[in-house]
Amino acid sequence: MSIYRFVAISRLTLQSNRLCSTTIGKFYQKQKPRYNENGFLIHCCTKHTGTIKNEKEKLRTYIVQRYIEYVNNYTKVLENRFPAAMKMYRVFSVGIKDFLKDLKTYIALRIKIAKNGGFTNMSRQDIELYQKMPSDMWRIAPVLILSAIPFGNYIIFPLAFLKPKKLLCSHFWSIQQKAEFTVQDLTDRLRNNKPVFRALQAKIDSVSPRDLKKKWQRVIGLLGSGVHPSAQEVLACKDLFSKEPYSLSNLSYSHMGHLLKMYGLRKTIFRRKKLKYKAFLLLQMDKAITREGGVETMSTEALRNACLIRGLNSSHLSNQDMRDWLLQWLQVSENIDSSTFSLLLHCPIFFAYNHPQNWVLIY
């Protein structure tokens, strides 16, 4: 290297060092001087530190936002890749929440009944839930018990998803399944109407006195000819259901079995006791309807559910048709006490046996 090139490089290096010193000096002049314990000056770089902190905060916020977006989109990714599994997950997650909610309400109602000693202050909706929940609990119990066993949920959940009507209760059904299964259950119930009617026919000759027998023969004749008697004609034969031959204590074992099936209940050994309790709940629901303002205040869904409980297919009936039908039922129900529970239990025969909407399901 020549002496001239060396001198040129030295000058450039010197100028560069001066420029750096000047820049650093100007930067530190803007900072407030700080001193340590021994009195030595400490130069601060607060701007530089603040800038780093801001960048870290931006980076942290960006990462969190991206994570949230990933989680939200991950559900969609799973639905696209595993549609059947995600559908099953939604069925059980939503169903178990609804079931637990109704279960809590049911337990609260039982406590309330135990304290108050009756149903006088309960709403129609609460009584309907109270009479429905025990069967739902029995139906879902095997699935809940088996799912608690290690690895049992991998077997029972897919099986229950494939057989929802048998292994799951209505809380886990879709809207379409509820409509379909409700029609199927009502069809099975209606198949017991004819055996119950035949059992009533079989005891006509044992009816006395003569005037009452004529009234009863007219009621049976109307049902046999394809029409229904009026509420007044049914009430005129009320005494037949408080003693022989149609009181609960005088019904045959098979007659009571068909009555249970007509209301969607299982046949048991203690059939008479079960029928008394069913009649009691029906009467309490009827009283609650009257207490809450009558059928005029009921919504479409409430009307359909009330007709379904009492054995009428209301899927194609208008609100007014349902109200008119329930009014007939309530006219009889208002005159019922514990001695005439049998009359109330046979009202589906008197008012729905020949109804066109029911015949559509059976024939």
Side-chain angles (χ1 to χ4, degrees):
M1 181 183 297
S2 63
I3 188 67
Y4 299 104
R5 183 175 296 178
F6 177 79
V7 171
I9 291 173
S10 299
R11 287 180 178 178
L12 288 172
T13 303
L14 181 61
Q15 290 177 359
S16 177
N17 290 338
R18 288 177 179 175
L19 180 61
C20 289
S21 300
T22 303
T23 303
I24 292 172
K26 289 181 179 180
F27 174 77
Y28 284 124
Q29 284 176 2
K30 295 180 181 180
Q31 310 302 317
K32 292 184 179 180
R34 293 174 59 192
Y35 299 90
N36 62 9
E37 298 175 353
N38 300 320
F40 294 100
L41 181 64
I42 301 174
H43 293 287
C44 298
C45 302
T46 55
K47 281 190 177 180
H48 181 65
T49 305
T51 303
I52 293 175
K53 288 182 179 181
N54 290 336
E55 293 300 327
K56 286 183 178 179
E57 189 64 30
K58 289 179 181 179
L59 179 62
R60 189 181 294 110
T61 303
Y62 174 77
I63 293 173
V64 171
Q65 289 176 348
R66 292 294 296 174
Y67 178 75
I68 294 173
E69 291 176 4
Y70 173 77
V71 172
N72 291 335
N73 294 330
Y74 191 67
T75 305
K76 297 179 181 178
V77 172
L78 290 176
E79 288 178 350
N80 294 331
R81 292 185 179 179
F82 312 102
M86 287 302 295
K87 184 179 179 181
M88 183 165 44
Y89 165 75
R90 290 187 183 280
V91 165
F92 283 99
S93 62
V94 174
I96 199 67
K97 289 179 183 177
D98 293 341
F99 177 77
L100 289 175
K101 179 182 177 182
D102 284 351
L103 181 60
K104 290 178 181 177
T105 305
Y106 173 73
I107 294 171
L109 290 175
R110 288 192 67 90
I111 295 172
K112 183 178 179 181
I113 292 170
K115 287 183 178 179
N116 299 336
F119 294 78
T120 52
N121 296 323
M122 288 176 61
S123 66
R124 170 196 55 81
Q125 190 174 3
D126 286 342
I127 300 174
E128 289 177 358
L129 175 66
Y130 182 82
Q131 67 95 27
K132 179 178 176 292
M133 275 303 293
S135 61
D136 286 346
M137 290 163 63
W138 277 109
R139 180 175 289 185
I140 195 66
V143 175
L144 297 180
I145 293 171
L146 291 175
S147 64
I149 300 173
F151 304 106
N153 56 331
Y154 294 107
I155 299 174
I156 193 61
F157 283 167
L159 189 61
F161 185 73
L162 293 174
K163 300 289 184 180
K165 187 175 185 293
K166 292 184 178 180
L167 297 175
L168 298 175
C169 59
S170 59
H171 300 85
F172 298 84
W173 298 343
S174 64
I175 297 176
Q176 182 180 357
Q177 287 174 333
K178 284 180 181 179
E180 180 184 350
F181 298 157
T182 298
V183 171
Q184 291 177 6
D185 289 340
L186 182 58
T187 303
D188 293 338
R189 289 169 54 191
L190 293 177
R191 297 191 190 281
N192 294 276
N193 284 8
K194 192 171 184 178
V196 172
F197 176 64
R198 295 301 183 200
L200 293 175
Q201 275 184 320
K203 291 187 176 182
I204 290 180
D205 293 335
S206 60
V207 174
S208 59
R210 200 172 197 180
D211 293 340
L212 189 56
K213 185 175 182 178
K214 286 184 178 180
K215 293 177 183 179
W216 181 239
Q217 284 177 330
R218 172 172 170 74
V219 170
I220 295 296
L222 289 172
L223 290 171
S225 61
V227 294
H228 296 110
S230 65
Q232 290 73 22
E233 289 173 318
V234 172
L235 287 171
C237 303
K238 175 183 173 182
D239 292 341
L240 295 176
F241 293 86
S242 62
K243 53 186 179 181
E244 291 186 2
Y246 299 119
S247 67
L248 281 178
S249 59
N250 289 282
L251 297 182
S252 66
Y253 196 69
S254 61
H255 190 164
M256 290 188 291
H258 287 298
L259 268 179
L260 286 171
K261 296 293 287 183
M262 195 172 75
Y263 283 98
L265 302 174
R266 294 180 179 180
K267 294 180 180 179
T268 59
I269 299 176
F270 306 102
R271 298 182 179 185
R272 188 170 289 107
K273 181 179 180 181
K274 200 167 185 178
L275 285 171
K276 283 183 180 180
Y277 187 64
K278 180 62 180 180
F280 172 75
L281 289 178
L282 281 172
L283 185 60
Q284 295 304 318
M285 282 187 272
D286 293 341
K287 289 180 178 180
I289 291 175
T290 305
R291 192 164 57 241
E292 293 173 0
V295 295
E296 298 297 331
T297 61
M298 297 173 68
S299 64
T300 301
E301 184 180 356
L303 287 169
R304 293 196 186 284
N305 192 43
C307 290
L308 176 66
I309 291 172
R310 291 159 180 81
L312 176 65
N313 175 27
S314 59
S315 55
H316 295 91
L317 294 180
S318 66
N319 286 4
Q320 191 57 47
D321 289 338
M322 290 186 284
R323 290 190 182 101
D324 292 341
W325 189 85
L326 285 171
L327 280 174
Q328 278 193 310
W329 179 290
L330 292 176
Q331 285 178 30
V332 174
S333 178
E334 289 172 356
N335 296 276
I336 295 295
D337 55 27
S338 59
S339 65
T340 51
F341 276 164
S342 181
L343 177 61
L344 184 62
L345 290 172
H346 285 88
C347 279
I349 302 297
F350 300 137
F351 302 126
Y353 182 72
N354 295 309
H355 202 286
Q357 293 299 321
N358 284 353
W359 278 68
V360 167
L361 297 182
I362 303 174
Y363 303 104

